[in-house]
């Protein structure tokens, strides 16, 4: 049996931002406030989990710390980019308050290292854009 990386909720793939706890609460609050309209993942995690990329128009269930859907988002864009090539407009769309692309890269590099997946300049990423959708 193949293990799917993303859980399913209410018939859709789930979107789990950050790691459980305070970080997920903060990121979810940004989505619910309309300030966070993008996120970034490691392409290798899709490959490892045999999970296909999201597609424009796909609806994802945004999960809270308890694993329950707190909102639905609709994918508005999917782009592959090397870590070195992430665009500033994508970083700003993540809504986390980074003052520069260098600050975004530093924060994301530290995060991925802290969860055991350090990145280099050539590491391929999935840059996902979304909007809050009606349930």
């Amino acid at each position: 049996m193949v293990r799917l990386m993303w859980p399913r909720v209410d018939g859709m793939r789930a979107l789990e931002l950050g790691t459980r706890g305070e970080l997920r609460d903060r990121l979810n609050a940004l989505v619910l406030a309309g300030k966070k309209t993008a996120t970034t993942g490691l392409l290798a995690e899709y490959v490892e989990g045999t999970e296909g990329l999201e597609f424009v128009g796909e609806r994802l269930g945004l999960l809270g710390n308890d694993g329950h859907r707190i909102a639905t988002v609709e994918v508005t864009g999917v782009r592959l980019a090397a870590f070195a090539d992430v665009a500033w407009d994508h970083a700003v769309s993540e809504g986390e308050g980074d003052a520069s692309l260098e600050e975004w890269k530093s924060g994301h590099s530290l995060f991925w290292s802290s969860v055991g997946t350090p990145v280099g300049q050539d590491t391929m990423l999935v840059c996902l854009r979304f909007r809050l959708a009606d349930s």
Side-chain angles (χ1 to χ4, degrees):
M1 182 168 163
V2 175
R3 180 184 81 78
L4 296 174
M5 174 154 228
W6 285 264
R8 275 29 181 191
V9 60
D10 300 330
M12 19 180 180
R13 282 198 274 189
L15 177 61
E16 296 179 286
L17 298 174
T19 52
R20 286 187 186 212
E22 188 178 312
L23 176 59
R24 181 162 300 158
D25 283 339
R26 184 173 63 82
L27 296 175
N28 284 346
L30 291 169
V31 171
L32 296 175
K35 295 179 181 179
K36 181 172 183 61
T37 59
T39 193
T40 309
L42 300 170
L43 180 60
E45 290 179 347
Y46 287 79
V47 173
E48 180 181 298
T50 63
E51 189 75 39
L53 295 179
E54 292 87 354
F55 55 88
V56 172
E58 181 177 8
R59 288 180 172 238
L60 307 172
L62 181 65
L63 299 187
N65 283 311
D66 62 2
H68 292 99
R69 181 171 62 95
I70 61 169
T72 301
V73 299
E74 182 177 333
V75 177
T76 60
V78 181
R79 181 174 172 266
L80 297 179
F83 183 71
D85 298 331
V86 171
W88 173 236
D89 70 315
H90 178 79
V92 169
S93 294
E94 286 204 2
E96 297 175 38
D98 295 305
S100 67
L101 187 55
E102 292 72 28
E103 184 177 336
W104 181 90
K105 287 181 178 181
S106 175
H108 280 68
S109 180
L110 286 171
F111 170 77
W112 283 316
S113 289
S114 77
V115 296
T117 52
V119 297
Q121 296 300 308
D122 294 331
T123 300
M124 291 304 295
L125 305 176
V126 178
C127 299
L128 186 68
R129 290 184 183 256
F130 54 84
R131 67 172 187 82
L132 198 54
D134 295 333
S135 299

